[in-house]
Structure formats: C-alpha cells, structure tokens
Amino acid sequence: MLQAFGKYLLFLKNLVVRGESPKILFNRTMDEAILIGINSIFIVALVSTFIGAVSTVQVSYNMESAFIPRSTIGFIVREMIILELAPTITSIVLAGKVGSSIAGGLGTMQITEQVDALEVMGINSISYLVLPKIIAALLVFPMLVILAMFLGLMGGYLAGTLTGQLTAQEYITGIRIDFIPYNITFALIKSVIFAFLISSISSFRGYFTSGGALEVGSASTAAVTNSVIAVLIADFVCAQLLL
C-alpha cells in the first residue's frame, strides 16, 4: 500500500519534469477536454435530472405534516443537490465513464509499446500523455457540476409540478429560502479535488499496466474502484474541513 502510494507521488512529480511546450500542451488539453467533458454531457444531464426528480418526490412523500409548508421541499432538495448530489454523484458517474476510458487508453498504449516509443524520442511520456488529461479534467468537471446543479433543480421542479406534489411558486420559494452562496463555492471546490483524484489515479493505473488485454481490463476496473473510494474519502474530509 505504502509502496503504491510512493510510486503514485513520484508519478505526479514526473508530470512537471521536462514538460512540453505551452502550445502543444494547450492543443492536447483542448482535445482531452472534448473527450472528457463534451462526451459526458448527456450522461451527466440524464443522471442529474432524474436525481432531482426522485429527490423531490421522495422528500414530498416523507413530509405529510400540515404544519410544514410545502416550500420546505424545495429548500431540502436544493441543499441536497448543491452540497452533495451534484458534485459527488456526478464525479462518481464520471469516475466510471472517464476513469475507465483514461486507464484503458493508457494501458493499451503501454502494452503496445507506444509509450516506450515516446520515451525513445526523448519525450516525457507522463507529461505528454497524462498532464493534459488532468488539466482538462480540472477545467471541465466544475462546468459539468454546475450543469448538474441546474438540471437537478429543474428536474425537481418538473417532478414536483407535474405530479401535483407542490406548486411552481412553492418550489421556487423553497429553493430561494436562506440561500447561502458559499455552498456553491464549496461544491465547486469539491469538484476540482474530485477531478484531480479521478484523472490522476486513473492515469496512474493505466500508465503502469503490463501484460496483455486482460491486464488492461483489470487496470480499468482498479482505476474506477480506487477513484470512487478516493472521491468518497475526499468528500468526507472536505465536509469536515470546509463546512
């Protein structure tokens, strides 16, 4: 365990050693941003919309007291989505989609000796292949989390109004009650931390793949598992330190 962690730290150190020119880094980062961000919009939109809808229906189901205003449903859904569901669930979904893709891609390059070819040409393969992925993840994850927040609240609005659980005015009043702007900042801070953990751990697992196709599959599985565990631990630590 400690040996693997030390190897991971050395891996991160090599990201900034003999780096590529800013132009090459920018171009590769934009390519990775499209792969990580644009291609993930649909799954993030789908998951966040239905999470917001289900949260509204379930909160409404558990609030049958006549003494509690129906606008409280909007308040609870807003807090759930902004503080936890949007950043954490979105990151876990992306760990499965993006993490496995990164690990599988780098693992395939490793076993087909493409990484060795880069090293022979004098290119720092870690900086060339991995750094753009991490930078791209740091850029697009907060954007996807903001999208998830908006669609989660919109899904809750649609579910609440279409099913008659509460009126549109009650829901809007609820999501405006005692709003704390710092909560959005907190969620975005978490998204940046999660982005770094998912992209770096998945790259680490993929880069050090050896063997054949079976090992590439194992690396992808390990990347997703380790990323999800890291996200959940980081989520608890962030809540303890920042709230």
Side-chain angles (χ1 to χ4, degrees), residues 49 52-54 56-57 154-166:
T49 300
V54 171
T56 300
V57 172
M154 185 59 66
Y157 172 84
L158 293 175
T161 54
L162 294 178
T163 59
Q165 303 285 347
L166 72 170

Side-chain angles (χ1 to χ4, degrees), residues 10-237:
L10 292 175
F11 173 76
L12 296 179
K13 176 187 174 183
N14 287 329
L15 287 173
V16 293
V17 177
R18 291 191 295 116
E20 298 301 314
S21 67
K23 181 179 179 180
I24 294 176
L25 182 61
F26 175 81
N27 290 334
R28 285 194 46 77
T29 299
M30 291 300 102
D31 292 338
E32 295 294 342
I34 292 173
L35 293 174
I36 295 173
I38 303 299
N39 294 347
S40 301
I41 288 178
F42 175 75
I43 185 65
V44 170
L46 188 66
V47 169
S48 57
T49 300
F50 278 95
I51 281 178
V54 171
S55 298
T56 300
V57 172
Q58 290 184 346
V59 171
S60 176
Y61 171 76
N62 287 281
M63 292 186 60
E64 295 296 333
S65 174
F67 297 102
I68 302 176
R70 302 301 289 172
S71 59
T72 307
I73 297 172
F75 170 78
I76 295 174
V77 170
R78 183 199 72 201
E79 294 299 294
M80 289 169 57
I81 288 175
I82 292 179
L83 284 174
E84 189 61 29
L85 296 180
T88 306
I89 300 301
T90 298
S91 296
I92 289 175
V93 169
L94 291 174
K97 182 183 184 300
V98 175
S100 61
S101 175
I102 290 175
L106 287 174
T108 301
M109 292 186 69
Q110 189 68 263
I111 65 171
T112 55
E113 299 182 351
Q114 296 179 55
V115 174
D116 293 336
L118 290 173
E119 293 289 347
V120 169
M121 290 188 291
I123 298 174
N124 180 359
S125 58
I126 295 179
S127 176
Y128 182 78
L129 296 173
V130 176
L131 186 58
K133 298 181 189 297
I134 294 178
I135 296 176
L138 294 175
L139 291 175
V140 301
F141 267 52
M143 299 179 189
L144 292 173
V145 167
I146 291 173
L147 177 67
M149 290 179 190
F150 172 76
L151 292 178
L153 294 175
M154 185 59 66
Y157 172 84
L158 293 175
T161 54
L162 294 178
T163 59
Q165 303 285 347
L166 72 170
T167 65
Q169 186 59 46
E170 287 172 334
Y171 184 82
I172 293 173
T173 300
I175 64 176
R176 296 176 66 182
I177 294 175
D178 297 330
F179 175 65
I180 303 174
Y182 173 73
N183 289 347
I184 293 181
T185 303
F186 170 71
L188 295 179
I189 291 172
K190 287 207 300 184
S191 69
V192 171
I193 294 173
F194 296 163
F196 177 79
L197 290 174
I198 292 170
S199 57
S200 62
I201 290 174
S202 300
S203 298
F204 172 73
R205 286 297 182 186
Y207 186 86
F208 289 104
T209 301
S210 59
L214 183 62
E215 282 72 21
V216 173
S218 299
S220 297
T221 303
V224 175
T225 305
N226 294 347
S227 296
V228 170
I229 293 173
V231 164
L232 295 176
I233 294 174
D235 187 28
F236 174 76
V237 173

